[in-house]
Amino acid sequence: DAGVTQSPTHLIKTRGQQVTLRCSPKSGHDTVSWYQQALGQGPQFIFQYYEEEERQRGNFPDRFSGHQFPNYSSELNVNALLLGDSALYLCASSPLAGGVTGELFFGEGSRLTVL
Amino acid sequence: DAKTTQPNSMESNEEEPVHLPCNHSTISGTDYIHWYRQLPSQGPEYVIHGLTSNVNNRMASLAIAEDRKSSTLILHRATLRDAAVYYCIPRSGNTPLVFGKGTRLSVIA
């Protein structure tokens, strides 16, 4: 049973460019959340998708947008990249009802470097 | 969101018990206390959670104070693989996880 998979694992962009990160949730999970983790910090919640709609959103600007597909996979898009967007982007999946423990399953992340 | 306070870092010898404390004095009555850990170069992983009673699973034990203002994650025999950043997170329902800086645990062979 594959866990949460993310791609690409690493990428480098320049300021002003746009980036798309992809996530496939764990089998049986219909809810996907995205987190940003700056170096030395804990992950910060960006948004959550369920039934192809954004359900909850953290304190991130509109440059951060997402999408969820009918197969529950998801994309995170960031426009007009800034140096401060350099971070590890983590995808987490869960069943909406939270399952038995309410736990989230995280992927290994996509490390974005903005030059 | 409830504010949490954890030590920045702790150190343990291999095969000895480790007690990782967390203060969450502003926790609400509906918040469960979740613990996640993040191994180097990996995403966070769930460890354990509880509401009021002490909890045990194959990874760890969770001791919750009677007033719920603090909790302690207990690793009964630390191994090198337990070296990670440990996060204590009060959480209600399906709300997003709010991570602090956590405690960096080092395990010495």
Side-chain angles (χ1 to χ4, degrees):
Chain A
D1 175 26
V4 178
T5 58
Q6 294 187 241
S7 64
T9 55
H10 295 83
L11 70 167
I12 299 173
K13 293 284 187 179
T14 56
R15 280 180 298 172
Q17 285 189 315
Q18 178 265 345
V19 68
T20 297
L21 308 177
R22 297 175 176 81
C23 171
S24 292
K26 183 177 169 64
S27 178
H29 287 183
D30 54 11
T31 303
V32 173
S33 301
W34 286 91
Y35 288 78
Q36 179 196 65
Q37 185 172 26
L39 205 59
Q41 304 294 317
Q44 301 299 306
F45 174 72
I46 303 175
F47 42 53
Q48 179 194 72
Y49 274 83
Y50 170 69
E51 288 188 335
E52 302 179 48
E53 289 190 15
E54 182 181 296
R55 299 294 179 169
Q56 301 184 70
R57 189 179 181 94
N59 188 25
F60 279 80
D62 292 345
R63 298 186 297 109
F64 290 77
S65 64
H67 189 78
Q68 185 179 35
F69 299 94
N71 67 351
Y72 309 127
S73 67
S74 177
E75 288 182 350
L76 164 65
N77 300 293
V78 187
N79 293 324
L81 285 168
L82 304 173
L83 296 180
D85 295 332
S86 295
L88 180 68
Y89 288 85
L90 295 159
C91 172
S93 74
S94 64
L96 182 65
V100 175
T101 63
E103 67 181 283
L104 300 187
F105 291 79
F106 284 82
E108 294 193 350
S110 295
R111 181 160 301 280
L112 170 65
T113 301
V114 182
L115 301 177
Chain B
D1 300 326
K3 179 177 170 58
T4 60
T5 304
Q6 297 181 254
N8 290 332
S9 62
M10 292 184 65
E11 200 173 82
S12 172
N13 293 319
E14 198 176 10
E15 299 194 0
E16 290 191 356
V18 182
H19 290 232
L20 297 162
C22 179
N23 287 320
H24 32 76
S25 59
T26 60
I27 194 170
S28 77
T30 58
D31 283 345
Y32 281 74
I33 300 153
H34 290 250
W35 284 80
Y36 280 73
R37 72 180 186 181
Q38 188 170 18
L39 279 64
S41 302
Q42 294 190 25
E45 66 173 345
Y46 168 85
V47 178
I48 199 167
H49 82 295
L51 184 62
T52 56
S53 304
N54 295 344
V55 185
N56 302 290
N57 66 19
R58 64 175 180 80
M59 290 181 70
S61 295
L62 177 59
I64 302 171
E66 195 170 336
D67 62 7
R68 295 199 349 111
K69 292 185 177 181
S70 65
S71 61
T72 302
L73 179 70
I74 302 164
L75 307 180
H76 296 285
R77 288 183 64 200
T79 68
L80 296 178
R81 195 191 172 278
D82 291 322
V85 178
Y86 287 78
Y87 298 98
C88 159
I89 306 171
R91 181 190 187 206
S92 179
N94 192 34
T95 57
L97 293 173
V98 178
F99 291 83
K101 290 190 174 182
T103 296
R104 181 173 298 278
L105 175 66
S106 301
V107 180
I108 303 169

